[in-house]
mmCIF file with all atom_site columns, all heavy atoms in Angstrom:
data_model
loop_
_atom_site.group_PDB
_atom_site.id
_atom_site.type_symbol
_atom_site.label_atom_id
_atom_site.label_alt_id
_atom_site.label_comp_id
_atom_site.label_asym_id
_atom_site.label_entity_id
_atom_site.label_seq_id
_atom_site.pdbx_PDB_ins_code
_atom_site.Cartn_x
_atom_site.Cartn_y
_atom_site.Cartn_z
_atom_site.occupancy
_atom_site.B_iso_or_equiv
_atom_site.pdbx_formal_charge
_atom_site.auth_seq_id
_atom_site.auth_comp_id
_atom_site.auth_asym_id
_atom_site.auth_atom_id
_atom_site.pdbx_PDB_model_num
ATOM 1   N N   . SER A 1 1  ? 2.529   0.621  -15.685 1.00 0.00 ? 1327 SER A N   1
ATOM 2   C CA  . SER A 1 1  ? 2.882   0.048  -16.980 1.00 0.00 ? 1327 SER A CA  1
ATOM 3   C C   . SER A 1 1  ? 3.706   -1.229 -16.794 1.00 0.00 ? 1327 SER A C   1
ATOM 4   O O   . SER A 1 1  ? 3.679   -2.120 -17.631 1.00 0.00 ? 1327 SER A O   1
ATOM 5   C CB  . SER A 1 1  ? 3.643   1.066  -17.834 1.00 0.00 ? 1327 SER A CB  1
ATOM 6   O OG  . SER A 1 1  ? 4.777   1.546  -17.146 1.00 0.00 ? 1327 SER A OG  1
ATOM 7   N N   . HIS A 1 2  ? 4.448   -1.316 -15.694 1.00 0.00 ? 1328 HIS A N   1
ATOM 8   C CA  . HIS A 1 2  ? 5.220   -2.502 -15.325 1.00 0.00 ? 1328 HIS A CA  1
ATOM 9   C C   . HIS A 1 2  ? 5.047   -2.722 -13.821 1.00 0.00 ? 1328 HIS A C   1
ATOM 10  O O   . HIS A 1 2  ? 5.948   -2.417 -13.041 1.00 0.00 ? 1328 HIS A O   1
ATOM 11  C CB  . HIS A 1 2  ? 6.699   -2.313 -15.674 1.00 0.00 ? 1328 HIS A CB  1
ATOM 12  C CG  . HIS A 1 2  ? 6.942   -2.162 -17.131 1.00 0.00 ? 1328 HIS A CG  1
ATOM 13  N ND1 . HIS A 1 2  ? 6.965   -0.934 -17.754 1.00 0.00 ? 1328 HIS A ND1 1
ATOM 14  C CD2 . HIS A 1 2  ? 7.142   -3.078 -18.094 1.00 0.00 ? 1328 HIS A CD2 1
ATOM 15  C CE1 . HIS A 1 2  ? 7.185   -1.109 -19.039 1.00 0.00 ? 1328 HIS A CE1 1
ATOM 16  N NE2 . HIS A 1 2  ? 7.292   -2.400 -19.274 1.00 0.00 ? 1328 HIS A NE2 1
ATOM 17  N N   . PRO A 1 3  ? 3.866   -3.211 -13.408 1.00 0.00 ? 1329 PRO A N   1
ATOM 18  C CA  . PRO A 1 3  ? 3.557   -3.299 -11.976 1.00 0.00 ? 1329 PRO A CA  1
ATOM 19  C C   . PRO A 1 3  ? 4.540   -4.175 -11.211 1.00 0.00 ? 1329 PRO A C   1
ATOM 20  O O   . PRO A 1 3  ? 5.006   -5.200 -11.706 1.00 0.00 ? 1329 PRO A O   1
ATOM 21  C CB  . PRO A 1 3  ? 2.148   -3.887 -11.940 1.00 0.00 ? 1329 PRO A CB  1
ATOM 22  C CG  . PRO A 1 3  ? 1.922   -4.481 -13.277 1.00 0.00 ? 1329 PRO A CG  1
ATOM 23  C CD  . PRO A 1 3  ? 2.803   -3.758 -14.246 1.00 0.00 ? 1329 PRO A CD  1
ATOM 24  N N   . ALA A 1 4  ? 4.830   -3.737 -10.000 1.00 0.00 ? 1330 ALA A N   1
ATOM 25  C CA  . ALA A 1 4  ? 5.761   -4.446 -9.121  1.00 0.00 ? 1330 ALA A CA  1
ATOM 26  C C   . ALA A 1 4  ? 5.173   -5.761 -8.620  1.00 0.00 ? 1330 ALA A C   1
ATOM 27  O O   . ALA A 1 4  ? 5.910   -6.653 -8.202  1.00 0.00 ? 1330 ALA A O   1
ATOM 28  C CB  . ALA A 1 4  ? 6.120   -3.557 -7.929  1.00 0.00 ? 1330 ALA A CB  1
ATOM 29  N N   . GLY A 1 5  ? 3.859   -5.873 -8.632  1.00 0.00 ? 1331 GLY A N   1
ATOM 30  C CA  . GLY A 1 5  ? 3.210   -7.101 -8.181  1.00 0.00 ? 1331 GLY A CA  1
ATOM 31  C C   . GLY A 1 5  ? 2.821   -7.093 -6.718  1.00 0.00 ? 1331 GLY A C   1
ATOM 32  O O   . GLY A 1 5  ? 2.107   -7.974 -6.267  1.00 0.00 ? 1331 GLY A O   1
ATOM 33  N N   . GLN A 1 6  ? 3.291   -6.091 -5.972  1.00 0.00 ? 1332 GLN A N   1
ATOM 34  C CA  . GLN A 1 6  ? 2.883   -5.977 -4.574  1.00 0.00 ? 1332 GLN A CA  1
ATOM 35  C C   . GLN A 1 6  ? 2.928   -4.510 -4.162  1.00 0.00 ? 1332 GLN A C   1
ATOM 36  O O   . GLN A 1 6  ? 3.674   -3.719 -4.717  1.00 0.00 ? 1332 GLN A O   1
ATOM 37  C CB  . GLN A 1 6  ? 3.778   -6.806 -3.657  1.00 0.00 ? 1332 GLN A CB  1
ATOM 38  C CG  . GLN A 1 6  ? 5.203   -6.309 -3.576  1.00 0.00 ? 1332 GLN A CG  1
ATOM 39  C CD  . GLN A 1 6  ? 6.045   -7.160 -2.631  1.00 0.00 ? 1332 GLN A CD  1
ATOM 40  O OE1 . GLN A 1 6  ? 5.729   -8.320 -2.375  1.00 0.00 ? 1332 GLN A OE1 1
ATOM 41  N NE2 . GLN A 1 6  ? 7.107   -6.590 -2.118  1.00 0.00 ? 1332 GLN A NE2 1
ATOM 42  N N   . VAL A 1 7  ? 2.103   -4.188 -3.195  1.00 0.00 ? 1333 VAL A N   1
ATOM 43  C CA  . VAL A 1 7  ? 2.076   -2.837 -2.646  1.00 0.00 ? 1333 VAL A CA  1
ATOM 44  C C   . VAL A 1 7  ? 3.243   -2.720 -1.665  1.00 0.00 ? 1333 VAL A C   1
ATOM 45  O O   . VAL A 1 7  ? 3.484   -3.620 -0.863  1.00 0.00 ? 1333 VAL A O   1
ATOM 46  C CB  . VAL A 1 7  ? 0.734   -2.558 -1.937  1.00 0.00 ? 1333 VAL A CB  1
ATOM 47  C CG1 . VAL A 1 7  ? 0.736   -1.183 -1.299  1.00 0.00 ? 1333 VAL A CG1 1
ATOM 48  C CG2 . VAL A 1 7  ? -0.422  -2.686 -2.932  1.00 0.00 ? 1333 VAL A CG2 1
ATOM 49  N N   . ASN A 1 8  ? 3.965   -1.614 -1.745  1.00 0.00 ? 1334 ASN A N   1
ATOM 50  C CA  . ASN A 1 8  ? 5.102   -1.397 -0.866  1.00 0.00 ? 1334 ASN A CA  1
ATOM 51  C C   . ASN A 1 8  ? 4.638   -1.414 0.590   1.00 0.00 ? 1334 ASN A C   1
ATOM 52  O O   . ASN A 1 8  ? 3.672   -0.738 0.949   1.00 0.00 ? 1334 ASN A O   1
ATOM 53  C CB  . ASN A 1 8  ? 5.762   -0.058 -1.202  1.00 0.00 ? 1334 ASN A CB  1
ATOM 54  C CG  . ASN A 1 8  ? 7.027   0.164  -0.429  1.00 0.00 ? 1334 ASN A CG  1
ATOM 55  O OD1 . ASN A 1 8  ? 6.997   0.359  0.778   1.00 0.00 ? 1334 ASN A OD1 1
ATOM 56  N ND2 . ASN A 1 8  ? 8.145   0.154  -1.133  1.00 0.00 ? 1334 ASN A ND2 1
ATOM 57  N N   . PRO A 1 9  ? 5.311   -2.169 1.454   1.00 0.00 ? 1335 PRO A N   1
ATOM 58  C CA  . PRO A 1 9  ? 4.886   -2.260 2.853   1.00 0.00 ? 1335 PRO A CA  1
ATOM 59  C C   . PRO A 1 9  ? 4.909   -0.921 3.599   1.00 0.00 ? 1335 PRO A C   1
ATOM 60  O O   . PRO A 1 9  ? 4.115   -0.716 4.519   1.00 0.00 ? 1335 PRO A O   1
ATOM 61  C CB  . PRO A 1 9  ? 5.863   -3.253 3.483   1.00 0.00 ? 1335 PRO A CB  1
ATOM 62  C CG  . PRO A 1 9  ? 6.873   -3.578 2.456   1.00 0.00 ? 1335 PRO A CG  1
ATOM 63  C CD  . PRO A 1 9  ? 6.428   -3.046 1.141   1.00 0.00 ? 1335 PRO A CD  1
ATOM 64  N N   . TYR A 1 10 ? 5.778   -0.001 3.208   1.00 0.00 ? 1336 TYR A N   1
ATOM 65  C CA  . TYR A 1 10 ? 5.798   1.318  3.845   1.00 0.00 ? 1336 TYR A CA  1
ATOM 66  C C   . TYR A 1 10 ? 4.543   2.112  3.471   1.00 0.00 ? 1336 TYR A C   1
ATOM 67  O O   . TYR A 1 10 ? 4.032   2.883  4.278   1.00 0.00 ? 1336 TYR A O   1
ATOM 68  C CB  . TYR A 1 10 ? 7.057   2.104  3.473   1.00 0.00 ? 1336 TYR A CB  1
ATOM 69  C CG  . TYR A 1 10 ? 8.313   1.531  4.081   1.00 0.00 ? 1336 TYR A CG  1
ATOM 70  C CD1 . TYR A 1 10 ? 9.174   0.755  3.325   1.00 0.00 ? 1336 TYR A CD1 1
ATOM 71  C CD2 . TYR A 1 10 ? 8.625   1.755  5.420   1.00 0.00 ? 1336 TYR A CD2 1
ATOM 72  C CE1 . TYR A 1 10 ? 10.329  0.213  3.872   1.00 0.00 ? 1336 TYR A CE1 1
ATOM 73  C CE2 . TYR A 1 10 ? 9.776   1.222  5.987   1.00 0.00 ? 1336 TYR A CE2 1
ATOM 74  C CZ  . TYR A 1 10 ? 10.618  0.448  5.207   1.00 0.00 ? 1336 TYR A CZ  1
ATOM 75  O OH  . TYR A 1 10 ? 11.755  -0.090 5.767   1.00 0.00 ? 1336 TYR A OH  1
ATOM 76  N N   . ALA A 1 11 ? 4.034   1.904  2.254   1.00 0.00 ? 1337 ALA A N   1
ATOM 77  C CA  . ALA A 1 11 ? 2.783   2.550  1.846   1.00 0.00 ? 1337 ALA A CA  1
ATOM 78  C C   . ALA A 1 11 ? 1.622   2.002  2.663   1.00 0.00 ? 1337 ALA A C   1
ATOM 79  O O   . ALA A 1 11 ? 0.780   2.757  3.170   1.00 0.00 ? 1337 ALA A O   1
ATOM 80  C CB  . ALA A 1 11 ? 2.531   2.341  0.353   1.00 0.00 ? 1337 ALA A CB  1
ATOM 81  N N   . VAL A 1 12 ? 1.570   0.685  2.813   1.00 0.00 ? 1338 VAL A N   1
ATOM 82  C CA  . VAL A 1 12 ? 0.501   0.045  3.598   1.00 0.00 ? 1338 VAL A CA  1
ATOM 83  C C   . VAL A 1 12 ? 0.545   0.544  5.041   1.00 0.00 ? 1338 VAL A C   1
ATOM 84  O O   . VAL A 1 12 ? -0.483  0.925  5.617   1.00 0.00 ? 1338 VAL A O   1
ATOM 85  C CB  . VAL A 1 12 ? 0.638   -1.494 3.545   1.00 0.00 ? 1338 VAL A CB  1
ATOM 86  C CG1 . VAL A 1 12 ? -0.335  -2.163 4.504   1.00 0.00 ? 1338 VAL A CG1 1
ATOM 87  C CG2 . VAL A 1 12 ? 0.426   -1.997 2.126   1.00 0.00 ? 1338 VAL A CG2 1
ATOM 88  N N   . GLU A 1 13 ? 1.734   0.565  5.624   1.00 0.00 ? 1339 GLU A N   1
ATOM 89  C CA  . GLU A 1 13 ? 1.899   1.015  7.006   1.00 0.00 ? 1339 GLU A CA  1
ATOM 90  C C   . GLU A 1 13 ? 1.427   2.457  7.190   1.00 0.00 ? 1339 GLU A C   1
ATOM 91  O O   . GLU A 1 13 ? 0.696   2.771  8.134   1.00 0.00 ? 1339 GLU A O   1
ATOM 92  C CB  . GLU A 1 13 ? 3.387   0.896  7.387   1.00 0.00 ? 1339 GLU A CB  1
ATOM 93  C CG  . GLU A 1 13 ? 3.726   1.417  8.761   1.00 0.00 ? 1339 GLU A CG  1
ATOM 94  C CD  . GLU A 1 13 ? 5.238   1.372  8.995   1.00 0.00 ? 1339 GLU A CD  1
ATOM 95  O OE1 . GLU A 1 13 ? 5.756   0.278  9.302   1.00 0.00 ? 1339 GLU A OE1 1
ATOM 96  O OE2 . GLU A 1 13 ? 5.885   2.428  8.883   1.00 0.00 ? 1339 GLU A OE2 1
ATOM 97  N N   . LEU A 1 14 ? 1.824   3.331  6.277   1.00 0.00 ? 1340 LEU A N   1
ATOM 98  C CA  . LEU A 1 14 ? 1.474   4.751  6.383   1.00 0.00 ? 1340 LEU A CA  1
ATOM 99  C C   . LEU A 1 14 ? -0.026  4.975  6.215   1.00 0.00 ? 1340 LEU A C   1
ATOM 100 O O   . LEU A 1 14 ? -0.640  5.739  6.964   1.00 0.00 ? 1340 LEU A O   1
ATOM 101 C CB  . LEU A 1 14 ? 2.255   5.556  5.341   1.00 0.00 ? 1340 LEU A CB  1
ATOM 102 C CG  . LEU A 1 14 ? 2.024   7.057  5.331   1.00 0.00 ? 1340 LEU A CG  1
ATOM 103 C CD1 . LEU A 1 14 ? 2.412   7.692  6.662   1.00 0.00 ? 1340 LEU A CD1 1
ATOM 104 C CD2 . LEU A 1 14 ? 2.820   7.687  4.190   1.00 0.00 ? 1340 LEU A CD2 1
ATOM 105 N N   . LEU A 1 15 ? -0.621  4.311  5.251   1.00 0.00 ? 1341 LEU A N   1
ATOM 106 C CA  . LEU A 1 15 ? -2.068  4.463  5.043   1.00 0.00 ? 1341 LEU A CA  1
ATOM 107 C C   . LEU A 1 15 ? -2.839  3.981  6.264   1.00 0.00 ? 1341 LEU A C   1
ATOM 108 O O   . LEU A 1 15 ? -3.749  4.666  6.745   1.00 0.00 ? 1341 LEU A O   1
ATOM 109 C CB  . LEU A 1 15 ? -2.503  3.712  3.780   1.00 0.00 ? 1341 LEU A CB  1
ATOM 110 C CG  . LEU A 1 15 ? -2.030  4.326  2.474   1.00 0.00 ? 1341 LEU A CG  1
ATOM 111 C CD1 . LEU A 1 15 ? -2.244  3.355  1.317   1.00 0.00 ? 1341 LEU A CD1 1
ATOM 112 C CD2 . LEU A 1 15 ? -2.718  5.660  2.205   1.00 0.00 ? 1341 LEU A CD2 1
ATOM 113 N N   . ALA A 1 16 ? -2.474  2.810  6.766   1.00 0.00 ? 1342 ALA A N   1
ATOM 114 C CA  . ALA A 1 16 ? -3.163  2.267  7.946   1.00 0.00 ? 1342 ALA A CA  1
ATOM 115 C C   . ALA A 1 16 ? -3.003  3.211  9.133   1.00 0.00 ? 1342 ALA A C   1
ATOM 116 O O   . ALA A 1 16 ? -3.962  3.460  9.874   1.00 0.00 ? 1342 ALA A O   1
ATOM 117 C CB  . ALA A 1 16 ? -2.614  0.886  8.271   1.00 0.00 ? 1342 ALA A CB  1
ATOM 118 N N   . LYS A 1 17 ? -1.817  3.770  9.302   1.00 0.00 ? 1343 LYS A N   1
ATOM 119 C CA  . LYS A 1 17 ? -1.545  4.686  10.411  1.00 0.00 ? 1343 LYS A CA  1
ATOM 120 C C   . LYS A 1 17 ? -2.407  5.947  10.304  1.00 0.00 ? 1343 LYS A C   1
ATOM 121 O O   . LYS A 1 17 ? -2.745  6.563  11.311  1.00 0.00 ? 1343 LYS A O   1
ATOM 122 C CB  . LYS A 1 17 ? -0.061  5.071  10.404  1.00 0.00 ? 1343 LYS A CB  1
ATOM 123 C CG  . LYS A 1 17 ? 0.385   5.812  11.640  1.00 0.00 ? 1343 LYS A CG  1
ATOM 124 C CD  . LYS A 1 17 ? 1.878   6.116  11.569  1.00 0.00 ? 1343 LYS A CD  1
ATOM 125 C CE  . LYS A 1 17 ? 2.623   4.999  12.262  1.00 0.00 ? 1343 LYS A CE  1
ATOM 126 N NZ  . LYS A 1 17 ? 4.049   5.280  12.420  1.00 0.00 ? 1343 LYS A NZ  1
ATOM 127 N N   . ASN A 1 18 ? -2.788  6.308  9.067   1.00 0.00 ? 1344 ASN A N   1
ATOM 128 C CA  . ASN A 1 18 ? -3.625  7.487  8.836   1.00 0.00 ? 1344 ASN A CA  1
ATOM 129 C C   . ASN A 1 18 ? -5.105  7.144  8.728   1.00 0.00 ? 1344 ASN A C   1
ATOM 130 O O   . ASN A 1 18 ? -5.912  7.979  8.307   1.00 0.00 ? 1344 ASN A O   1
ATOM 131 C CB  . ASN A 1 18 ? -3.146  8.231  7.587   1.00 0.00 ? 1344 ASN A CB  1
ATOM 132 C CG  . ASN A 1 18 ? -1.919  9.070  7.871   1.00 0.00 ? 1344 ASN A CG  1
ATOM 133 O OD1 . ASN A 1 18 ? -2.039  10.175 8.385   1.00 0.00 ? 1344 ASN A OD1 1
ATOM 134 N ND2 . ASN A 1 18 ? -0.744  8.531  7.581   1.00 0.00 ? 1344 ASN A ND2 1
ATOM 135 N N   . GLY A 1 19 ? -5.467  5.910  9.077   1.00 0.00 ? 1345 GLY A N   1
ATOM 136 C CA  . GLY A 1 19 ? -6.867  5.511  9.087   1.00 0.00 ? 1345 GLY A CA  1
ATOM 137 C C   . GLY A 1 19 ? -7.477  5.343  7.711   1.00 0.00 ? 1345 GLY A C   1
ATOM 138 O O   . GLY A 1 19 ? -8.690  5.452  7.551   1.00 0.00 ? 1345 GLY A O   1
ATOM 139 N N   . ILE A 1 20 ? -6.650  5.071  6.714   1.00 0.00 ? 1346 ILE A N   1
ATOM 140 C CA  . ILE A 1 20 ? -7.134  4.895  5.344   1.00 0.00 ? 1346 ILE A CA  1
ATOM 141 C C   . ILE A 1 20 ? -7.100  3.404  5.011   1.00 0.00 ? 1346 ILE A C   1
ATOM 142 O O   . ILE A 1 20 ? -6.078  2.739  5.207   1.00 0.00 ? 1346 ILE A O   1
ATOM 143 C CB  . ILE A 1 20 ? -6.270  5.697  4.346   1.00 0.00 ? 1346 ILE A CB  1
ATOM 144 C CG1 . ILE A 1 20 ? -6.368  7.194  4.684   1.00 0.00 ? 1346 ILE A CG1 1
ATOM 145 C CG2 . ILE A 1 20 ? -6.717  5.431  2.913   1.00 0.00 ? 1346 ILE A CG2 1
ATOM 146 C CD1 . ILE A 1 20 ? -5.472  8.087  3.843   1.00 0.00 ? 1346 ILE A CD1 1
ATOM 147 N N   . SER A 1 21 ? -8.199  2.910  4.507   1.00 0.00 ? 1347 SER A N   1
ATOM 148 C CA  . SER A 1 21 ? -8.328  1.482  4.214   1.00 0.00 ? 1347 SER A CA  1
ATOM 149 C C   . SER A 1 21 ? -7.295  1.020  3.185   1.00 0.00 ? 1347 SER A C   1
ATOM 150 O O   . SER A 1 21 ? -7.060  1.685  2.177   1.00 0.00 ? 1347 SER A O   1
ATOM 151 C CB  . SER A 1 21 ? -9.731  1.179  3.683   1.00 0.00 ? 1347 SER A CB  1
ATOM 152 O OG  . SER A 1 21 ? -9.809  -0.182 3.290   1.00 0.00 ? 1347 SER A OG  1
ATOM 153 N N   . VAL A 1 22 ? -6.719  -0.139 3.460   1.00 0.00 ? 1348 VAL A N   1
ATOM 154 C CA  . VAL A 1 22 ? -5.765  -0.747 2.534   1.00 0.00 ? 1348 VAL A CA  1
ATOM 155 C C   . VAL A 1 22 ? -6.326  -2.063 1.986   1.00 0.00 ? 1348 VAL A C   1
ATOM 156 O O   . VAL A 1 22 ? -5.644  -2.772 1.247   1.00 0.00 ? 1348 VAL A O   1
ATOM 157 C CB  . VAL A 1 22 ? -4.396  -0.984 3.217   1.00 0.00 ? 1348 VAL A CB  1
ATOM 158 C CG1 . VAL A 1 22 ? -3.770  0.333  3.631   1.00 0.00 ? 1348 VAL A CG1 1
ATOM 159 C CG2 . VAL A 1 22 ? -4.520  -1.914 4.415   1.00 0.00 ? 1348 VAL A CG2 1
ATOM 160 N N   . ALA A 1 23 ? -7.582  -2.356 2.340   1.00 0.00 ? 1349 ALA A N   1
ATOM 161 C CA  . ALA A 1 23 ? -8.181  -3.661 2.040   1.00 0.00 ? 1349 ALA A CA  1
ATOM 162 C C   . ALA A 1 23 ? -8.176  -4.009 0.554   1.00 0.00 ? 1349 ALA A C   1
ATOM 163 O O   . ALA A 1 23 ? -7.888  -5.146 0.190   1.00 0.00 ? 1349 ALA A O   1
ATOM 164 C CB  . ALA A 1 23 ? -9.604  -3.712 2.580   1.00 0.00 ? 1349 ALA A CB  1
ATOM 165 N N   . ASP A 1 24 ? -8.497  -3.057 -0.319  1.00 0.00 ? 1350 ASP A N   1
ATOM 166 C CA  . ASP A 1 24 ? -8.639  -3.373 -1.740  1.00 0.00 ? 1350 ASP A CA  1
ATOM 167 C C   . ASP A 1 24 ? -7.429  -2.975 -2.573  1.00 0.00 ? 1350 ASP A C   1
ATOM 168 O O   . ASP A 1 24 ? -7.477  -3.049 -3.802  1.00 0.00 ? 1350 ASP A O   1
ATOM 169 C CB  . ASP A 1 24 ? -9.885  -2.678 -2.297  1.00 0.00 ? 1350 ASP A CB  1
ATOM 170 C CG  . ASP A 1 24 ? -11.157 -3.207 -1.663  1.00 0.00 ? 1350 ASP A CG  1
ATOM 171 O OD1 . ASP A 1 24 ? -11.200 -4.405 -1.337  1.00 0.00 ? 1350 ASP A OD1 1
ATOM 172 O OD2 . ASP A 1 24 ? -12.099 -2.408 -1.479  1.00 0.00 ? 1350 ASP A OD2 1
ATOM 173 N N   . LEU A 1 25 ? -6.359  -2.554 -1.931  1.00 0.00 ? 1351 LEU A N   1
ATOM 174 C CA  . LEU A 1 25 ? -5.199  -2.085 -2.683  1.00 0.00 ? 1351 LEU A CA  1
ATOM 175 C C   . LEU A 1 25 ? -4.365  -3.262 -3.190  1.00 0.00 ? 1351 LEU A C   1
ATOM 176 O O   . LEU A 1 25 ? -4.099  -4.205 -2.461  1.00 0.00 ? 1351 LEU A O   1
ATOM 177 C CB  . LEU A 1 25 ? -4.327  -1.181 -1.809  1.00 0.00 ? 1351 LEU A CB  1
ATOM 178 C CG  . LEU A 1 25 ? -4.985  0.104  -1.338  1.00 0.00 ? 1351 LEU A CG  1
ATOM 179 C CD1 . LEU A 1 25 ? -4.031  0.884  -0.443  1.00 0.00 ? 1351 LEU A CD1 1
ATOM 180 C CD2 . LEU A 1 25 ? -5.426  0.956  -2.513  1.00 0.00 ? 1351 LEU A CD2 1
ATOM 181 N N   . ARG A 1 26 ? -3.971  -3.156 -4.452  1.00 0.00 ? 1352 ARG A N   1
ATOM 182 C CA  . ARG A 1 26 ? -3.088  -4.159 -5.044  1.00 0.00 ? 1352 ARG A CA  1
ATOM 183 C C   . ARG A 1 26 ? -2.359  -3.526 -6.217  1.00 0.00 ? 1352 ARG A C   1
ATOM 184 O O   . ARG A 1 26 ? -2.866  -2.602 -6.861  1.00 0.00 ? 1352 ARG A O   1
ATOM 185 C CB  . ARG A 1 26 ? -3.852  -5.409 -5.479  1.00 0.00 ? 1352 ARG A CB  1
ATOM 186 C CG  . ARG A 1 26 ? -4.875  -5.158 -6.557  1.00 0.00 ? 1352 ARG A CG  1
ATOM 187 C CD  . ARG A 1 26 ? -5.717  -6.399 -6.861  1.00 0.00 ? 1352 ARG A CD  1
ATOM 188 N NE  . ARG A 1 26 ? -6.738  -6.085 -7.834  1.00 0.00 ? 1352 ARG A NE  1
ATOM 189 C CZ  . ARG A 1 26 ? -6.556  -6.087 -9.158  1.00 0.00 ? 1352 ARG A CZ  1
ATOM 190 N NH1 . ARG A 1 26 ? -5.393  -6.425 -9.662  1.00 0.00 ? 1352 ARG A NH1 1
ATOM 191 N NH2 . ARG A 1 26 ? -7.543  -5.778 -9.978  1.00 0.00 ? 1352 ARG A NH2 1
#
């Protein structure tokens, strides 16, 4: 409802570490 404008870097790091694509996340 009030987007932060960026994906949290800890979320990106964790997803990548688990082999989950982060390419289309925003």
Side-chain angles (χ1 to χ4, degrees):
S1327 55
H1328 296 91
Q1332 67 179 23
V1333 177
N1334 186 291
Y1336 291 101
V1338 172
E1339 176 185 281
L1340 181 61
L1341 290 167
K1343 190 178 267 188
N1344 281 279
I1346 298 175
S1347 175
V1348 297
D1350 295 327
L1351 297 178
R1352 63 186 176 84

